Amino acid sequence: MGRYYPHLSLEERRKIDKWREARMPVPEIADRLGRAPSTIYRELKRNFYSDEELPNLNGYYALTAQAMSEKRRAIHRKMIVHPELKVAIEDRLKAGWSPEQIAGRMRLERHPIRVSHETIYRFAYSKDGRDKQFYRHLPEHRRRRRPRGYRRHNRTHIFDVQSLSHRPERIAERSEFGHWECDLMMFRKEHGKVNVTSLVERASRYAVVMRNEDRQSKPIIESLIQGLSPLPADSRKSITFDRGTEFSAWKHLKAGIGADAWFCDPQAPYQRGTVENTNNRLRKYLTRSTKPTALTNRYLRSICHRLNATPRKCLGYYTPAEVFETKLMEIQHRSE
């Protein structure tokens, strides 16, 4: 476990002030305070008072140093100093935005008062944030910060498919629009066989969600065909699946909308990282305890609208909807 280095106190700064006045060497000051010499050097440099009009007043003063230090630390407490900023951030979190998306969008829109995503997390897990249970608004709703785990897949697999290893590089690099990733989201068994297809375009991260009555492959693939057919052909070139049996009717895609099907390796969901990430976001609204009666088309469309209207770091903090619409317009202009 690493050592803990607390900030210098006012009492320590008073001692530094007195000993510097007596011209005591920095190493000796550090030794007396039980601090590293670098800490004292850094303190003298950062909190040195300088007055251009009255240079004879330049020097290190304990009270001034304490005030300068507290002012710098207040930068990380913007959400307390500016309550209206905290309210705006809280509203965005409630709308499903992550701290990183909020901070990135602030930079993109050039807000006069901005915060980093780390500042938001620090506030959420600070004493003030915990008192207000601010962590409940974070994407993971965790009481403590911890690394994310991963989901294990235990399924029967299909074979005789186009392996991801043969997929063109332009798709893997997201340099071409119109390539999607697909997965199923399941719910508790006592709620029946109803599930949801999650579909994400790789370049824009634009998400589409559709309800299925069961896991039979042909109806699921037909639903995909029906959902994507209104789009231009150049915006639905391929779909990447895992090897679950619910996608065994994949050959109908080519005949239905002319889209190729690619399959990741067994037990390798990370090869479809885009849809896996989207599923994590969707789980905020579609928990495993969700009842099928709640999965109306109107409700699913409202969830998609929220996801697609949320800025993404990988898109330069533009939203998936903004990027998706731009790509569709480019296709339209090319066809004219």
Side-chain angles (χ1 to χ4, degrees):
M1 182 180 293
R3 295 175 61 188
Y4 173 60
Y5 299 95
H7 293 280
L8 288 169
S9 66
L10 176 58
E11 182 59 31
E12 287 178 307
R13 289 191 168 102
R14 290 185 189 277
K15 291 178 179 179
I16 294 173
D17 186 353
K18 181 178 66 174
W19 291 335
R20 285 297 290 170
E21 184 70 22
R23 300 186 180 277
M24 183 181 292
V26 168
E28 186 175 345
I29 294 175
D31 186 58
R32 289 194 180 193
L33 291 177
R35 298 278 189 165
S38 59
T39 299
I40 309 303
Y41 280 119
R42 184 165 56 248
E43 169 68 14
L44 294 171
K45 180 179 180 181
R46 297 178 73 185
N47 297 325
F48 185 85
Y49 176 76
S50 179
D51 190 324
E52 294 182 359
E53 295 183 2
L54 299 172
N56 59 311
L57 295 179
N58 292 355
Y60 181 85
Y61 305 99
L63 292 176
T64 304
Q66 183 74 12
M68 293 170 71
S69 175
E70 290 177 354
K71 183 178 180 180
R72 280 197 305 274
R73 293 180 66 185
I75 293 174
H76 302 300
R77 298 173 62 82
K78 286 181 181 177
M79 294 175 65
I80 296 176
V81 177
H82 303 284
E84 71 284 358
L85 177 66
K86 183 182 80 68
V87 171
I89 291 171
E90 189 171 355
D91 288 341
R92 290 298 189 186
L93 288 171
K94 288 179 179 178
W97 294 32
S98 72
E100 194 170 43
Q101 291 163 346
I102 294 170
R105 191 70 178 191
M106 282 182 171
R107 289 196 298 273
L108 182 67
E109 295 177 351
R110 300 182 183 278
H111 282 241
I113 303 175
R114 308 175 217 172
V115 295
S116 69
H117 68 278
E118 184 61 29
T119 297
I120 299 174
Y121 277 115
R122 277 206 299 259
F123 174 79
Y125 293 110
S126 68
K127 184 180 183 301
D128 295 302
R130 286 181 182 279
D131 289 344
K132 297 178 176 61
Q133 295 190 323
F134 202 80
Y135 66 88
R136 291 181 179 274
H137 304 313
L138 297 175
E140 299 292 336
H141 313 290
R142 300 191 193 281
R143 289 178 180 271
R144 299 179 182 277
R145 297 184 73 173
R146 62 172 179 166
R148 290 191 304 176
Y150 62 93
R151 191 177 80 191
R152 290 186 177 274
H153 292 255
N154 268 328
R155 298 199 208 168
T156 312
H157 304 296
I158 60 174
F159 301 94
D160 188 29
V161 296
Q162 298 187 95
S163 173
L164 206 66
S165 59
H166 300 299
R167 192 175 65 176
E169 282 298 315
R170 66 180 184 278
I171 303 177
E173 294 173 355
R174 305 178 193 270
S175 60
E176 186 174 79
F177 177 67
H179 301 283
W180 300 73
E181 292 182 9
C182 182
D183 195 13
L184 285 195
M185 296 182 65
M186 310 303 296
F187 305 95
R188 290 180 179 171
K189 291 182 179 179
E190 59 264 31
H191 295 322
K193 298 181 179 179
V194 173
N195 59 79
V196 166
T197 298
S198 57
L199 193 63
V200 189
E201 201 283 316
R202 283 174 54 80
S204 65
R205 274 66 168 187
Y206 187 84
V208 177
V209 181
M210 296 175 284
R211 171 183 168 134
N212 304 306
E213 298 305 319
D214 55 39
R215 290 180 61 177
Q216 293 185 21
S217 182
K218 190 172 181 181
I220 289 174
I221 297 299
E222 287 176 351
S223 177
L224 284 175
I225 293 172
Q226 184 178 358
L228 292 178
S229 58
L231 296 174
D234 283 348
S235 66
R236 44 176 170 81
K237 297 176 182 176
S238 77
I239 305 178
T240 299
F241 304 97
D242 65 17
R243 300 203 181 205
T245 54
E246 59 268 22
F247 303 122
S248 58
W250 60 274
K251 293 181 180 179
H252 292 283
L253 276 176
K254 193 70 173 179
I257 54 175
D260 292 322
W262 302 98
F263 289 82
C264 59
D265 298 329
Q267 304 294 329
Y270 60 86
Q271 293 179 338
R272 293 173 307 119
T274 305
V275 74
E276 288 285 314
N277 181 275
T278 300
N279 287 350
N280 288 337
R281 297 172 190 273
L282 286 169
R283 281 299 181 191
K284 179 174 182 179
Y285 313 100
L286 299 174
T287 62
R288 294 187 182 277
S289 60
T290 300
K291 295 182 179 180
T293 52
L295 301 178
T296 63
N297 289 331
R298 181 177 180 180
Y299 179 60
L300 293 177
R301 282 197 299 270
S302 70
I303 293 173
C304 286
H305 177 73
R306 280 196 171 193
L307 257 64
N308 294 327
T310 302
R312 304 290 296 275
K313 179 182 180 181
C314 56
L315 302 176
Y317 294 104
Y318 287 95
T319 69
E322 290 169 342
V323 176
F324 191 79
E325 290 170 9
T326 299
K327 296 292 186 181
L328 289 181
M329 290 177 64
E330 290 175 357
I331 292 173
Q332 185 179 353
H333 288 325
R334 288 200 301 267
S335 62
E336 291 176 354

